Amino acid sequence: MIELEVSAACDIGCVRENNEDMILVGECFLRNESYTTPVELGSKDRFLFAIADGMGGHNSGEVASSISLHNLQFFFNDIPSGLTASGFNESIVDWLESINNIIDSKGLVDKIYKGMGTTLVGIAYYNGDFYSMNCGDSRLYRYRDGNLCQMTTDHSLDNMMGVEKHSSIITNCIGGGCKSSYIDIVQMTHDIHEGDVYLLCSDGLSDMMSNHHIATKLAEGSNARALCDEAIALGGLDNISVCKIEVKRIFEE
């Protein structure tokens, strides 16, 4: 059994006219709201945490992130039990191909949605194992023993060129006209320790706060809402989504 304490917050920020981010925690979808809940893993064979950061003109980024997370939740809950790690990976890759077709097709039917897309970052608990998933430049961090480590790689032009400063030019996403989308899936079961904090976030947080700043706030015990508020205090130039997952207890039943 694994006991988690989860906090999540999704905020429009100070500049954008609408919120194109969305958060998924289990069965709960969040946009423009905050949420906290304990989660017990072990009594259920699957649970999903994910953030999607939409992009596109008008409200299309908002649509892309919503479609992607709702579709992923349905697909994830429908995956047969008992798959191996490679079988799980293949299922998520199949989902990526399917959701890309759905997003692109919507753009063909209605040109207001043409070119819309979204990033995706998440942690999936399935069949007793944990997996990180990443497509785009939203991030997963681990905070352990006072140290913050980025566990995902930004799929961005800056990262490809070895530039540390982040920009909005991404090289991989769901939809968005991307012809060769891919998703990084990493099994992380044996790296989950009691006391760890895992942080999913859109670039609305990581662009406003350095890794050192994020680590400082986590050391102070800040939850997802407090991290969003800190990014807003620094200017809130984009939508901000944060999901903080604290590993409170791991024990044998």
Side-chain angles (χ1 to χ4, degrees), residues 85-185:
S86 62
F88 177 80
N89 285 14
E90 289 172 7
S91 292
I92 298 300
V93 170
D94 287 344
W95 171 79
L96 180 65
E97 181 178 357
S98 172
I99 193 62
N100 267 309
N101 289 335
I102 290 169
I103 296 292
D104 290 342
S105 295
K106 195 166 183 64
L108 293 174
V109 172
D110 189 338
K111 64 181 181 181
I112 195 174
Y113 300 122
K114 184 174 177 59
M116 71 176 178
T118 184
T119 69
L120 175 78
V121 67
I123 295 176
Y125 175 77
Y126 167 80
N127 200 34
D129 286 313
F130 289 90
Y131 299 85
S132 66
M133 305 184 296
N134 180 52
C135 178
D137 65 347
S138 294
R139 292 179 176 178
L140 167 63
Y141 291 100
R142 182 192 66 214
Y143 180 73
R144 175 187 292 166
D145 299 329
N147 297 308
L148 187 73
C149 174
Q150 183 179 338
M151 302 190 71
T152 51
T153 299
D154 294 348
H155 302 155
S156 66
L157 183 61
D158 282 343
N159 187 62
M160 288 178 62
M161 298 178 68
V163 179
E164 288 188 11
K165 182 175 174 58
H166 177 257
S167 77
S168 59
I169 303 174
I170 63 174
T171 56
N172 181 44
C173 65
I174 296 169
C178 190
K179 301 301 182 184
S180 55
S181 293
Y182 60 94
I183 187 165
D184 296 334
I185 307 168

Side-chain angles (χ1 to χ4, degrees), residues 3-21:
E3 293 180 354
L4 308 174
E5 184 66 32
V6 181
S7 65
C10 184
D11 198 286
I12 193 172
C14 302
V15 175
R16 302 292 189 182
E17 294 183 356
N18 65 304
N19 193 347
E20 297 184 317
D21 285 7

Side-chain angles (χ1 to χ4, degrees), residues 160-226:
M160 288 178 62
M161 298 178 68
V163 179
E164 288 188 11
K165 182 175 174 58
H166 177 257
S167 77
S168 59
I169 303 174
I170 63 174
T171 56
N172 181 44
C173 65
I174 296 169
C178 190
K179 301 301 182 184
S180 55
S181 293
Y182 60 94
I183 187 165
D184 296 334
I185 307 168
V186 179
Q187 189 183 51
M188 51 189 287
T189 308
H190 300 297
D191 197 35
I192 303 288
H193 296 174
E194 199 169 276
D196 283 353
V197 173
Y198 292 88
L199 192 74
L200 300 166
C201 69
S202 63
D203 62 357
L205 181 81
S206 55
D207 279 355
M208 302 308 302
M209 297 173 65
S210 68
N211 287 5
H212 176 73
H213 195 166
I214 294 171
T216 298
K217 299 305 290 184
L218 290 175
E220 295 172 357
S222 295
N223 64 10
R225 181 66 258 169

